[in-house]
Amino acid sequence: MVNRDRHIFFTLAVIFDAVFVSAAWLLCYVVRFRLGLPQAADASTRLTVFVKILPIIVLCDLIALGFLRLYRPARTPSVFRERVQVAKGAVLGWLGMLAALYYYTANPYSRVLLFIFLFVNPLALMGSRTVLRVVLRGLRRRGWSVKHAAIVGTGRLAQKIHDGLKADPWMGVQVDYFVKESSQKKRRQIRGVPVRGSIPTLLRVMREHPVDSVFVAVPMGKAGQFEGVLDELAKLPVTVAVVPDFRGVVTMNTSVDELNGLPVIQLVDTPIQGWYAVAKRTIDVVGSLGLLAIFGLPMLGIALLVKLTSRGPVLFRQVRMGLGGRPFSIMKFRSMRVDAEADTGPVWAKREDPRCTPLGAFLRRTSLDELPQLINVLVGDMSLVGPRPERPHFVEEFVQTVPAYMLRHNVKAGLTGWAQINGLRGDTSLKKRLQYDLYYVNNWSLGFDLFILLRTPFTGFLNKNAH
């Protein structure tokens, strides 16, 4: 029901994006070759040459946007986030375009034009989505493809369904009326929408006031009031959606599956599965090998300094909790005295910690003590990007005081993460850090990982909260 008109959205979005990308490409041609900019002698300047490759440009962008799931209605919670995803798709499409042009022809294309297109294309695609929103809203106001719905229920969940349908510009669902759970309730209107009859009179009400679809809002603890509703609705030519109430229940990456013909609602699941898991693991292996090659000599130098400036081993190993709550041994350059916790037991690190050696304090401020964790990434205990792993002792404490803390273990722990590049390191708010970790898990994508990796050298490793 919710996605019945997905093909309409898909068709309009593809048409608008193709038109705007084509316009952006031709605009870049005009800027490059018709405004008097210096031209390379070996590059073609004929318009027909650039028009000829226009289908390749458009196709690369459409594939990139489709890969980022931007042709699915009601998938982005805000215009801002949609624009961020569109910008990622434009950059991904641009890279695909370069690869395609390289194999398409040996003739050189203007590098200046390609560079201009890198910046113009995201703006064009954002403009396409903005115009599409305006057009769809206008069409809905004129009654085009508007679906009429009724909501069975009048409580908080029913009102939330109404608000969600009204706020969504893509779906075009208009709520005509509510149906009360009980005839004893006296409500006549909710959110300006009339209340017609009650569950005992459901069949009569819906025959007198026909709609296209029905949302059944079933609050937890009141399912008995809805007994027989689905049997009654089966007598009518309407589509039916049951919306269960999971208020107070922790959910993450929820999905609906089937088990031997029975619908199964999965409340908590990892977002990294199938080919996405293969791609993320490939990035981890290639990235960790590359970084080990770059930092190999500096790591040898740090190891030598640690050995010369204090007694004890070069590497410090400590048990941390990783994917699925499984423990693993994390590696760091030793930054504290060997007997740092002999008297205190496990304690949280703090700023200007007296247990640190002089060299160790510097390594912790610059995050250079974390470099051996590239080996953890290479062997598969960790990922380049993910929530930072904690010690089991602290995890047991956090689970008792911080709801949903264990959900962060549905992905691999990371060398860097969304919380870390936002300054949440060291002795910062645990609750705030968890919010960022869960946001990462719920919104994970390969593009999100790449964004975090690119920001890490500037805001992740060198951070005022690193100690």
Side-chain angles (χ1 to χ4, degrees):
M1 177 196 314
V2 171
N3 294 319
R4 183 190 295 173
D5 287 345
R6 177 179 291 183
H7 64 286
I8 297 176
F9 170 83
F10 173 82
T11 302
L12 288 176
V14 167
I15 291 173
F16 274 74
D17 287 347
V19 170
F20 275 72
V21 169
S22 300
W25 180 249
L26 296 177
L27 175 64
C28 291
Y29 172 85
V30 171
V31 172
R32 176 65 186 92
F33 297 114
R34 296 293 183 263
L35 296 183
L37 297 178
Q39 300 176 13
D42 58 344
S44 175
T45 63
R46 290 180 299 154
L47 177 61
T48 54
V49 173
F50 290 87
V51 172
K52 186 177 180 181
I53 64 172
L54 186 54
I56 296 176
I57 311 300
V58 172
L59 185 61
C60 288
D61 269 348
L62 296 182
I63 291 174
L65 294 175
F67 177 76
L68 293 176
R69 304 179 182 182
L70 284 165
Y71 291 118
R72 296 186 180 185
R75 292 296 181 186
T76 50
S78 68
V79 174
F80 172 76
R81 189 176 169 217
E82 182 186 53
R83 288 175 178 171
V84 171
Q85 288 294 94
V86 166
K88 292 178 184 178
V91 173
L92 187 61
W94 185 80
L95 294 174
M97 176 195 72
L98 294 184
L101 292 181
Y102 176 80
Y103 288 103
Y104 176 73
T105 178
N107 296 329
Y109 289 95
S110 168
R111 285 174 290 183
V112 174
L113 186 148
L114 296 177
F115 182 74
I116 295 173
F117 186 68
L118 173 62
F119 295 95
V120 173
N121 191 37
L123 297 177
L125 287 170
M126 292 177 194
S128 169
R129 292 307 170 109
T130 301
V131 173
L132 179 59
R133 284 178 183 270
V134 173
V135 169
L136 278 177
R137 284 197 178 102
L139 291 174
R140 301 295 193 198
R141 289 194 194 101
R142 289 167 174 78
W144 176 81
S145 191
V146 173
K147 297 181 289 293
H148 296 269
I151 299 176
V152 179
T154 57
R156 182 199 62 84
L157 180 61
Q159 294 174 37
K160 192 172 182 180
I161 294 172
H162 167 270
D163 295 344
L165 293 173
K166 186 176 180 180
D168 196 306
W170 308 122
M171 292 171 57
V173 176
Q174 175 182 305
V175 178
D176 287 359
Y177 57 90
F178 290 85
V179 177
K180 296 182 291 187
E181 297 93 330
S182 170
S183 57
Q184 296 178 354
K185 291 193 173 184
K186 303 300 182 183
R187 305 189 73 168
R188 297 184 179 276
Q189 274 195 346
I190 297 175
R191 301 285 203 270
V193 177
V195 176
R196 302 187 188 279
S198 58
I199 288 178
T201 60
L202 176 63
L203 198 59
R204 177 178 59 80
V205 169
M206 298 203 65
R207 282 174 174 166
E208 292 176 356
H209 306 279
V211 292
D212 303 303
S213 53
V214 179
F215 290 83
V216 182
V218 185
M220 294 184 70
K222 295 184 179 180
Q225 297 181 16
F226 291 80
E227 186 176 355
V229 167
L230 298 184
D231 290 335
E232 292 291 285
L233 292 175
K235 301 173 183 177
L236 299 168
V238 295
T239 54
V240 180
V242 177
V243 185
D245 184 8
F246 293 124
R247 178 177 46 174
V249 178
V250 175
T251 61
M252 184 181 70
N253 297 298
T254 55
S255 60
V256 179
D257 211 333
E258 186 177 304
L259 178 64
N260 196 26
L262 297 173
V264 177
I265 301 176
Q266 192 154 289
L267 300 182
V268 178
D269 195 12
T270 175
I272 309 173
Q273 303 181 45
W275 286 108
Y276 290 111
V278 173
K280 184 172 174 64
R281 180 62 185 145
T282 301
I283 293 172
D284 286 341
V285 172
V286 174
S288 58
L289 284 173
L291 291 172
L292 283 170
I294 294 171
F295 291 106
L297 286 177
M299 288 173 68
L300 288 174
I302 293 172
L304 182 61
L305 288 173
V306 171
K307 192 66 177 177
L308 293 175
T309 55
S310 61
R311 66 180 183 85
V314 170
L315 292 178
F316 172 70
R317 295 176 182 269
Q318 191 176 69
V319 176
R320 298 287 178 97
M321 191 170 285
L323 178 65
R326 292 186 291 272
F328 70 96
S329 181
I330 200 173
M331 290 187 287
K332 304 173 69 172
F333 284 121
R334 183 174 55 80
S335 59
M336 294 187 177
R337 303 188 311 270
V338 175
D339 58 350
E341 293 185 340
D343 298 326
T344 62
V347 293
W348 200 260
K350 56 185 179 181
R351 191 179 300 277
E352 298 181 1
D353 199 315
R355 300 173 299 167
C356 289
T357 65
L359 174 64
F362 169 77
L363 294 178
R364 294 174 76 90
R365 283 197 304 272
T366 56
S367 300
L368 292 174
D369 62 320
E370 313 281 2
L371 287 176
Q373 290 165 38
L374 290 169
I375 299 174
N376 287 115
V377 174
L378 184 61
V379 301
D381 292 330
M382 296 175 61
S383 175
L384 289 175
V385 182
R388 288 293 295 163
E390 299 292 353
R391 300 168 69 175
H393 172 82
F394 294 128
V395 171
E396 291 177 7
E397 292 182 4
F398 300 155
V399 167
Q400 303 302 320
T401 58
V402 183
Y405 185 83
M406 287 302 292
L407 292 182
R408 67 199 297 276
H409 294 100
N410 279 276
V411 297
K412 281 187 181 180
L415 184 63
T416 183
W418 181 235
Q420 283 64 47
I421 67 170
N422 283 282
L424 296 170
R425 297 188 56 183
D427 224 359
T428 53
S429 167
L430 180 63
K431 185 176 180 180
K432 192 75 172 176
R433 198 182 314 175
L434 177 62
Q435 290 175 353
Y436 276 76
D437 286 342
L438 294 185
Y439 178 87
Y440 168 79
V441 176
N442 276 309
N443 297 277
W444 178 86
S445 68
L446 292 174
F448 197 8
D449 272 5
L450 179 60
F451 176 75
I452 292 172
L453 287 172
L454 291 175
R455 277 194 57 182
T456 294
F458 307 101
T459 59
F461 287 137
L462 295 174
N463 190 284
K464 64 180 181 180
N465 294 319
H467 53 264

